[in-house]
Amino acid sequence: MSTYVESIKSEYLKNVIDNAIEKNINEKEFIQALQEVLTTLEPVILQNEDTYKKYALLERLIEPERIISFRVPWLDDNGKVQVNKGYRVQFNGSIGPYKGGLRFNPTVNQSIMKFLAFEQIFKNALTGLPIGGGKGGSDFDPKDKSDMEIMRFCQSFMTELQRHIGQDVDVPAGDIGVGAREIGYLFGQFRKIRNAYEAGVLTGKGLSYGGSLARKEATGYGLMYFMKEMLKANNIDTNGKTAIISGSGNVAIYTCEKAKQMGIKVLAMSDSNGCIYNENGIDLDYIKEIKEVRRSRIKDYLNYNPIAKYFENSSEIPAIYNIKADIVLPCATQNDINLETAKLLVSNGTIAVGEGANMPCTNEAINYLIENKVLVAPGKAANAGGVATSALEMSQNSMRTSWSFEETDKKLENIMINIFNQCQNACREYNLGTNYLAGANIAAFKKVSEAMLAQGII
Ligand code: NDP
Ligand code: 2IT
């Protein structure tokens, strides 16, 4: 586990970090996220240390308001009873109802839920919309499950979750392993149990029952709007650049779509087994067919395009990162890029890294990239377009209306430009150069801490 920057001067901040590590010693992803955020906050902490200390602001900020952990029993297609773990972490509700996705993946545990919910607090604050931070999920593995198994699992999961959520309480959405199909089954069960049409209780819904146009595209499009703005601020044009995108799920697919619209050639995409490389640029229609329709492996791309190449993952460094590109867009999962991979990216001449996933770079990796002048679009800012558009979906549900694709997409673009400006302004105010990670953390912390202090010791 990495140590925090030894140069921290604030005794208060040091103590909080040390205690947090001790108290959460078995939760390595959560400690990683805490260190990533807290170590960048020192300039603000030093300005207001006495107040933060007096009101135990940081101690309260890093302790979830509530963690719900529950049993999810369901029947598989053979009539056998299966049991999974279910979670919802309601981390911080000072700005609005808890908001954040649900992840269904066998790696899910309390540490991963807490790191995601913690990051979500700051991400949601940056959107400027009234949403607090939460996250949930299960260690259920949706791979190779039948549609009926997925439905029965979602129904059982919601049978418990429904008592903890509501459109003014906590509003879940999708994340890894949870897309439109799962949200549909979850919403159906919620509606049946509650006997009320509370459309705003979940986002990422289908368009026929309260979903928002552009939500499906929002995280990926938003990532590229942020990237374009960041490059523009550094006098770099997107047109004619090359990119690689790890992952091939919701975020990766719509990142690729927007990148292509911006004149960027996407050379490679991946899944957890390996990557496909197409030197003429990835044909996204094939990826959509393989991943959105057939729910199959990325290797199948070779059946559509035999001249493409497939590289299986075989070492610490995922195969995709061996392919040189100007822009690297990790859109799969956490800790995809470690220090060794970051060194490879720097030696390959990477100009920019855009974090579509949550915490895809280890702390050592992201610091190395920044120190070596790679422009990094940090996840909690750059991938905020998804949750921002979820909040727009909530607005439309409350107003009982729906906006056009163009209108919603334009709002999304403006939100992403605004988020970049917040990061840049914080960088200017605190002399942080192009350390947009620190800029994002500081800008978000200022909003959350102000709301928390105003609401007293709760
Ligand atoms: P999907 O389930 O649609 O896709 C996930 C992709 O990541 C798949 O290609 C998957 O490959 C790959 N992946 C998952 N786990 C691993 C792993 N352990 N190692 C390597 N590859 C893996 O999820 P999303 O696209 O929605 O989410 C991707 C990332 O973006 C996550 O970090 C999520 O938290 C983040 N995010 C999502 C938002 C959203 O709106 N959906 C918003 C903001 C961030 P395989 O099929 O082989 O598992
Ligand atoms: O990580 C994220 O921001 C998401 N998975 C989206 C959350 C949401 O509520 O839309």
Side-chain angles (χ1 to χ4, degrees):
M1 196 170 295
S2 70
T3 53
Y4 59 89
V5 183
E6 292 298 336
S7 62
I8 286 183
K9 290 183 225 43
S10 160
E11 279 303 312
Y12 171 53
L13 184 56
K14 248 188 191 155
N15 280 337
V16 169
I17 296 175
D18 284 342
N19 283 334
I21 292 175
E22 203 183 311
K23 283 191 185 169
N24 299 283
I25 193 71
N26 295 318
E27 298 184 339
K28 62 180 195 314
E29 293 84 3
F30 180 51
I31 290 178
Q32 182 184 336
L34 285 179
Q35 289 186 316
E36 179 247 288
V37 172
L38 293 176
T39 52
T40 59
L41 296 181
E42 175 151 56
V44 197
I45 306 289
L46 286 174
Q47 283 176 334
N48 223 350
E49 191 164 4
D50 292 346
T51 308
Y52 294 150
K53 202 171 165 182
K54 179 170 170 200
Y55 293 102
L57 194 271
L58 291 180
E59 293 89 330
R60 288 188 291 126
L61 182 71
I62 63 174
E63 198 60 43
E65 289 182 13
R66 197 171 297 103
I67 299 180
I68 299 141
S69 160
F70 53 97
R71 172 209 301 157
V72 191
W74 56 282
L75 278 181
D76 70 17
D77 285 346
N78 299 319
K80 191 165 176 275
V81 181
Q82 303 284 346
V83 183
N84 285 98
K85 287 178 184 292
Y87 299 94
R88 187 73 184 165
V89 178
Q90 298 178 333
F91 216 122
N92 191 309
S94 59
I95 290 184
Y98 309 108
K99 182 85 195 84
L102 297 171
R103 176 177 291 191
F104 292 171
N105 190 269
T107 59
V108 162
N109 56 35
Q110 184 169 293
S111 171
I112 289 179
M113 294 286 96
K114 281 172 71 179
F115 114 65
L116 287 164
F118 184 68
E119 290 276 300
Q120 198 83 40
I121 304 168
F122 304 98
K123 182 192 308 193
N124 294 3
L126 288 172
T127 67
L129 299 165
I131 40 179
K135 199 84 187 190
S138 172
D139 61 358
F140 172 73
D141 186 358
K143 279 205 190 93
D144 301 323
K145 299 293 186 297
S146 73
D147 197 51
M148 288 298 111
E149 287 176 324
I150 299 279
M151 184 183 75
R152 287 194 294 273
F153 176 80
C154 288
Q155 290 176 339
S156 178
F157 187 84
M158 183 52 87
T159 300
E160 173 60 32
L161 186 69
Q162 59 86 23
R163 63 182 98 242
H164 309 290
I165 62 175
Q167 62 190 6
D168 297 318
V169 179
D170 182 357
V171 182
D175 193 81
I176 293 178
V178 178
R181 172 180 60 168
E182 291 73 22
I183 293 292
Y185 293 145
L186 291 164
F187 185 71
Q189 185 74 351
F190 180 87
R191 191 173 70 74
K192 182 179 163 96
I193 296 174
R194 294 291 195 95
N195 190 29
Y197 209 103
E198 259 188 76
V201 70
L202 288 171
T203 60
K205 298 182 292 295
L207 298 176
S208 59
Y209 63 96
S212 172
L213 284 160
R215 173 61 188 92
K216 183 176 70 174
E217 293 81 0
T219 312
Y221 278 25
L223 171 63
M224 292 314 299
Y225 293 143
F226 187 101
M227 175 61 70
K228 188 173 183 188
E229 212 51 29
M230 179 178 80
L231 293 179
K232 196 172 86 186
N234 290 277
N235 302 312
I236 302 167
D237 193 7
T238 48
N239 199 23
K241 296 287 182 294
T242 55
I244 55 171
I245 302 177
S246 81
S248 46
N250 172 267
V251 179
I253 286 175
Y254 293 95
T255 297
C256 182
E257 189 162 286
K258 186 50 75 179
K260 290 177 88 160
Q261 287 171 17
M262 290 178 173
I264 296 168
K265 183 153 79 170
V266 178
L267 300 172
M269 291 180 79
S270 68
D271 62 20
S272 54
N273 297 111
C275 77
I276 44 130
Y277 168 60
N278 200 341
E279 64 180 345
N280 299 321
I282 297 287
D283 190 328
L284 192 57
D285 287 341
Y286 296 153
I287 301 283
K288 284 186 180 175
E289 170 70 19
I290 293 165
K291 290 295 174 182
E292 292 186 334
V293 182
R294 297 178 44 213
R295 298 178 190 278
S296 145
R297 308 310 299 160
I298 204 156
K299 192 178 180 181
D300 287 357
Y301 189 87
L302 299 183
N303 296 327
Y304 295 90
N305 183 336
I307 59 159
K309 293 195 176 78
Y310 176 73
F311 301 106
E312 189 96 6
N313 291 335
S314 60
S315 75
E316 269 278 290
I317 299 181
I320 191 165
Y321 296 114
N322 291 312
I323 297 162
K324 274 189 194 182
D326 301 316
I327 302 173
V328 172
L329 299 158
C331 297
T333 192
Q334 65 275 357
N335 294 333
D336 203 13
I337 298 182
N338 62 14
L339 181 59
E340 206 186 333
T341 308
K343 286 182 176 168
L344 178 64
L345 297 184
V346 169
S347 68
N348 279 348
T350 303
I351 299 169
V353 172
E355 295 190 322
N358 287 305
M359 210 167 74
C361 298
T362 64
N363 290 345
E364 294 80 5
I366 205 164
N367 290 332
Y368 183 85
L369 291 169
I370 293 169
E371 279 159 18
N372 284 278
K373 303 286 170 236
V374 176
L375 296 169
V376 179
K380 66 173 72 61
N383 73 34
V387 75
T389 310
S390 278
L392 300 180
E393 182 173 332
M394 291 162 71
S395 300
Q396 293 168 78
N397 294 151
S398 296
M399 294 163 76
R400 298 177 193 275
T401 188
S402 59
W403 302 326
S404 68
F405 187 94
E406 290 68 27
E407 193 178 352
T408 317
D409 186 34
K410 194 70 211 163
K411 287 186 202 297
L412 165 66
E413 187 175 6
N414 288 336
I415 290 169
M416 298 313 298
I417 292 172
N418 179 269
I419 293 176
F420 177 73
N421 288 337
Q422 291 178 62
C423 298
Q424 196 177 38
N425 291 341
C427 284
R428 287 188 179 140
E429 189 178 342
Y430 292 94
N431 257 327
L432 297 166
T434 53
N435 186 346
Y436 300 117
L437 172 70
N441 288 341
I442 288 174
F445 172 77
K446 283 186 162 187
K447 288 193 177 172
V448 178
S449 57
E450 191 180 325
M452 285 180 71
L453 287 173
Q455 292 173 31
I457 313 279
I458 55 162

